[in-house]
Amino acid sequence: MLPALENYLQFIQQIHPLSPESIEAILPFLAQRNFYKKEFLVRQGNISDELHFILSGCVREYFEDANTDEINTWFGFENAVAVSTHSFFSQKPSLTNIQALEDTETIVIKHGDLQKLFNQFHEIERLGRLLAEQYLIQMEEIKIILQTLSAKQRYEYLLQHKPEFIKRIPLKYLASFLGIKLETLSRVRGQK
Amino acid sequence: MLPALENYLQFIQQIHPLSPESIEAILPFLAQRNFYKKEFLVRQGNISDELHFILSGCVREYFEDANTDEINTWFGFENAVAVSTHSFFSQKPSLTNIQALEDTETIVIKHGDLQKLFNQFHEIERLGRLLAEQYLIQMEEIKIILQTLSAKQRYEYLLQHKPEFIKRIPLKYLASFLGIKLETLSRVRGQK
DNA sequence: ATAAGTATTTGATAAATGTCAAATAAAATG
DNA sequence: CATTTTATTTGACATTTATCAAATACTTAT
């Protein structure tokens, strides 16, 4: 039916193996979506009723602060789930944008359809729980980076633990993600 | 059976209403625990197999960094769930301590018992999912504070959004939570 | 390949935060 | 209540990071 589902199904099975019946039930609700570079998966102010699994490409999540500076909050690559958490969970207007940084292919599932699947299949609800737990752990890790490291140490953290960030994401976006200014990031890169 | 369960049950029902059967099933697995000030609910290095609901009192979560400074990562008061997320979710050694800041009463449930309840009752699994989602949203909020605000703005955020933190938590603990030094926090308080 | 636009680097300086030491204030203990 | 311990504030100074401006490097589109 839908091509390129292998990665998607593998991603799911690795978080929580599902029965063939559950898989069968999910498939009709999936759709592939393609975004050109700079297109938006999610728009600030809109209710985000879609959860994306990234097949290929790369996205950033960001919002505009009081000074209309862009603050980048999250980056996602192949085989990651991209979602405006607050908006998707609570079905309220999104505080953030999610934008393709490269041409990007995703598989989407609608909030309403996912709720139906949660109702119908306990094991899909479990998958949801485990996914939320994993996401939470990742968030805590980044929080501790911001809480404890200097500008230089933050950059070194990326080098060691998120090398793909440095390869694929412009520095101007990485800076606000790291909570520092572009010029500082540039200088810190020069050192050592 | 167990006194002081009202708050606990109310907390649960407000996240996700449970049937009487589920409630009945949970009760036998709950136990009340009391901690004197400075006692530990969770110890760094141990596998944390207990999830605490705080009935009264207040706790901090922290770890020791390379310089043996204490980094405070989380504070919890009445009607909050206190848990070393990474350790509890994955049943690996905890990266953090959780310590009572005041004499504290909690209701605990064991990891193994909770898994049984998850298996048995879909709606309890849903409760778990929703709780993880809520926790995640809170974590993201704090992350953005650390990413975007100056020392003074961080303190003002606490004043406005977490006044109980300032009332009940010593500044020396709040400082590392805010990612700044004690002296800076003290100075920033004086201004304005 | 060239021009226009965008991204990154560099320099000079200002502002914010950290460090170390000491003073004061507050809390805990006998 | 007096004493000891712990927490917070203050001061002088060092270091880090931000700001503003400009130069250079890199991309993109023609």
Side-chain angles (χ1 to χ4, degrees):
Chain A
M1 168 178 296
L2 199 65
L5 272 180
E6 295 79 21
N7 286 345
Y8 184 80
L9 295 176
Q10 198 178 333
F11 173 79
I12 285 176
Q13 302 284 7
Q14 156 190 333
I15 293 174
H16 183 58
L18 292 182
S19 67
E21 297 78 46
S22 292
I23 301 281
E24 276 304 313
I26 292 173
L27 294 179
F29 295 119
L30 302 180
Q32 182 167 344
R33 297 276 297 277
N34 298 310
F35 299 89
Y36 289 116
K37 185 170 173 168
K38 296 195 181 172
E39 274 193 292
F40 288 89
L41 289 70
V42 175
R43 280 281 198 177
Q44 200 166 342
N46 292 352
I47 293 175
S48 168
D49 73 337
E50 292 181 335
L51 180 143
H52 294 264
F53 175 83
I54 304 173
L55 288 171
S56 69
C58 148
V59 308
R60 67 173 179 135
E61 183 177 29
Y62 73 98
F63 67 93
E64 284 190 5
D65 73 6
N67 312 318
T68 68
D69 291 332
E70 291 181 354
I71 309 295
N72 292 279
T73 54
W74 189 83
F75 300 104
F77 301 93
E78 292 80 8
N79 301 315
V81 169
V83 61
S84 175
T85 51
H86 184 273
S87 179
F88 188 81
F89 294 160
S90 68
Q91 290 295 284
K92 290 179 182 164
S94 180
L95 304 170
T96 55
N97 303 282
I98 300 182
Q99 184 187 36
L101 288 178
E102 307 170 357
D103 293 351
T104 296
E105 302 173 302
T106 73
I107 290 178
V108 298
I109 188 163
K110 293 273 184 192
H111 181 267
D113 294 334
L114 185 57
Q115 300 311 310
K116 281 179 213 152
L117 290 168
F118 281 163
N119 287 332
Q120 225 182 327
F121 295 93
H122 182 164
E123 62 180 352
I124 297 181
E125 182 105 43
R126 173 161 302 177
L127 176 71
R129 173 177 64 85
L130 293 170
L131 192 57
E133 288 179 0
Q134 284 194 9
Y135 221 99
L136 173 57
I137 300 294
Q138 286 173 30
M139 196 61 60
E140 284 186 310
E141 182 176 336
I142 300 292
K143 198 202 77 171
I144 290 190
I145 300 305
L146 295 168
Q147 213 176 8
T148 60
L149 300 188
S150 69
K152 187 172 175 184
Q153 290 172 322
R154 291 176 200 193
Y155 178 69
E156 284 166 357
Y157 164 81
L158 286 193
L159 274 178
Q160 290 181 9
H161 298 95
K162 311 276 179 185
E164 69 279 23
F165 278 40
I166 292 172
K167 287 196 203 91
R168 293 171 70 179
I169 301 169
L171 291 186
K172 67 170 173 166
Y173 297 146
L174 286 180
S176 66
F177 176 73
L178 294 175
I180 59 182
K181 294 294 165 188
L182 172 60
E183 296 92 330
T184 299
L185 178 53
S186 175
R187 288 189 166 101
V188 139
R189 269 157 59 84
Q191 298 174 32
K192 189 189 180 194
Chain B
M1 168 177 294
L2 199 64
L5 274 179
E6 295 79 21
N7 286 345
Y8 184 81
L9 295 176
Q10 199 178 331
F11 173 80
I12 284 176
Q13 302 283 6
Q14 156 190 333
I15 293 174
H16 185 57
L18 293 183
S19 67
E21 297 78 48
S22 292
I23 301 281
E24 276 304 311
I26 293 173
L27 295 178
F29 294 119
L30 302 180
Q32 183 167 344
R33 296 277 296 276
N34 298 311
F35 299 90
Y36 289 115
K37 184 169 174 169
K38 298 195 179 171
E39 273 193 293
F40 288 88
L41 289 72
V42 175
R43 281 281 197 177
Q44 200 164 342
N46 293 351
I47 293 176
S48 169
D49 72 338
E50 291 181 335
L51 180 144
H52 294 263
F53 176 84
I54 303 173
L55 289 171
S56 69
C58 147
V59 308
R60 67 173 178 134
E61 182 177 29
Y62 74 97
F63 67 92
E64 285 190 5
D65 73 5
N67 313 318
T68 68
D69 292 332
E70 291 181 355
I71 309 295
N72 292 279
T73 54
W74 190 83
F75 300 103
F77 302 94
E78 291 80 9
N79 302 314
V81 169
V83 62
S84 175
T85 51
H86 184 272
S87 179
F88 188 81
F89 294 160
S90 67
Q91 290 296 283
K92 291 180 183 162
S94 179
L95 303 170
T96 57
N97 303 283
I98 300 182
Q99 182 187 38
L101 287 178
E102 308 170 358
D103 293 351
T104 296
E105 301 173 303
T106 73
I107 290 177
V108 299
I109 188 162
K110 293 272 184 191
H111 182 266
D113 294 334
L114 185 57
Q115 300 312 311
K116 281 180 212 151
L117 290 167
F118 282 163
N119 287 332
Q120 224 183 329
F121 295 93
H122 182 163
E123 61 179 354
I124 298 181
E125 183 105 42
R126 174 162 302 177
L127 176 71
R129 172 177 64 86
L130 294 169
L131 192 57
E133 288 180 0
Q134 283 194 11
Y135 221 99
L136 172 58
I137 300 294
Q138 287 171 30
M139 196 60 60
E140 284 186 309
E141 183 177 337
I142 300 292
K143 197 203 77 170
I144 289 190
I145 300 304
L146 294 169
Q147 213 175 7
T148 60
L149 300 187
S150 69
K152 187 174 175 184
Q153 290 171 322
R154 292 177 199 192
Y155 178 69
E156 284 165 358
Y157 164 81
L158 286 193
L159 274 178
Q160 291 180 10
H161 297 96
K162 310 276 178 185
E164 69 278 24
F165 278 41
I166 292 171
K167 288 196 202 90
R168 292 171 70 179
I169 300 169
L171 293 186
K172 69 172 171 163
Y173 297 146
L174 286 179
S176 66
F177 177 73
L178 294 175
I180 59 182
K181 293 294 164 187
L182 172 61
E183 296 92 331
T184 300
L185 179 53
S186 175
R187 289 190 165 101
V188 139
R189 268 158 60 85
Q191 298 173 34
K192 188 190 181 192

